[in-house]
Amino acid sequence: MLEPQSILISESDIQQRVRELGAQISDDYADRELVLLGVLRGAVLFYADLARAISLPLRFEFLQLASYYDDTKPSQVQLIRGGSDYLAGRHVLIVEDIVDTGHTLKFLIGHLHLLNPKTVKVCTLLDKPSRRETAVSVDYCGFEVPDAFVVGYGLDYAQKYRNLPYIAVVEPEH
Ligand code: 5GP
């Protein structure tokens, strides 16, 4: 059985950073109506803590994506559910768990633009810039992480570890 090997980001460091991000977002969107758009399922814990750290009225929206990987071509991303008409004319902040190659985010931003939001920005808990395959811009980032597979605080390995309150590294079995 795989177990997380080492804690990369502690619970207290996550909570401190989430408070900082919430304060920054509250300043940046003061006097504007903000829609917080969570990407299921990985962003759920980050979303719940971030929402409580933002001192503005918020609208909650969610969507779910699926990625299909193939050795020969870039991953294919599909919208499974969500992405409501309500986003038209609104300020939308995407809340993601991690940006890795960037394909998921690029797909999502392309999809959202079809719904005519006023602005679209991105807040991710984690960013792995060394793995980027397509250019995407991240407006708010919790932590940059190295090229390792991480779990916890919403992120899974085979649907496990999402409820860990910290981020840990999983070493693949050989
Ligand atoms: P991208 O399309 O940017 O390559 O991948 C984004 C998605 O891949 C994330 O939303 C997440 O579901 C998954 N992912 C990428 N890196 C990791 C990782 O280190 N750990 C986990 N649990 N998921 C990851």
Side-chain angles (χ1 to χ4, degrees):
M1 163 139 44
L2 283 176
E3 292 299 338
Q5 306 287 302
S6 54
I7 294 181
L8 189 63
I9 309 170
S10 70
E11 180 174 4
S12 59
D13 284 354
I14 292 172
Q15 295 305 328
Q16 169 64 28
R17 186 72 187 118
V18 170
R19 279 194 295 274
E20 289 168 8
L21 288 170
Q24 180 71 55
I25 291 165
S26 305
D27 277 356
D28 293 352
Y29 286 90
D31 306 321
R32 284 191 280 169
E33 273 186 45
L34 180 59
V35 181
L36 215 52
L37 179 65
V39 183
L40 298 171
R41 283 176 277 214
V44 161
L45 297 190
F46 177 44
Y47 186 106
D49 287 339
L50 183 66
R52 283 174 286 185
I54 298 174
S55 56
L56 299 172
L58 291 176
R59 166 98 180 193
F60 282 23
E61 295 285 341
F62 297 92
L63 51 72
Q64 188 166 11
L65 302 171
S67 301
Y68 303 94
Y69 294 95
D70 179 317
D71 286 345
T72 58
K73 51 182 192 251
S75 62
Q76 307 289 303
V77 186
Q78 257 184 23
L79 181 70
I80 300 182
R81 66 174 76 106
S84 83
D85 293 344
Y86 181 84
L87 303 181
R90 312 279 169 175
H91 297 287
V92 178
L93 182 61
I94 298 170
V95 180
E96 259 284 25
D97 53 357
I98 186 165
V99 183
D100 185 26
T101 64
H103 292 297
T104 304
L105 194 53
K106 187 159 201 167
F107 169 87
L108 178 53
I109 290 171
H111 170 75
L112 289 182
H113 280 303
L114 301 176
L115 303 174
N116 298 314
K118 198 176 239 173
T119 62
V120 176
K121 289 195 172 186
V122 176
C123 178
T124 186
L125 174 70
L126 304 175
D127 190 3
K128 274 192 217 172
S130 63
R131 294 253 312 158
R132 205 69 98 245
E133 292 176 5
T134 185
V136 285
S137 78
V138 169
D139 302 282
Y140 304 95
C141 170
F143 303 91
E144 282 193 6
V145 292
D147 181 9
F149 196 80
V150 294
V151 296
Y153 198 60
L155 289 114
D156 75 311
Y157 177 79
Q159 299 304 326
K160 285 176 60 183
Y161 308 123
R162 289 194 196 276
N163 52 326
L164 296 175
Y166 51 81
I167 299 289
V169 174
V170 172
E171 296 292 344
E173 278 177 336
H174 297 293

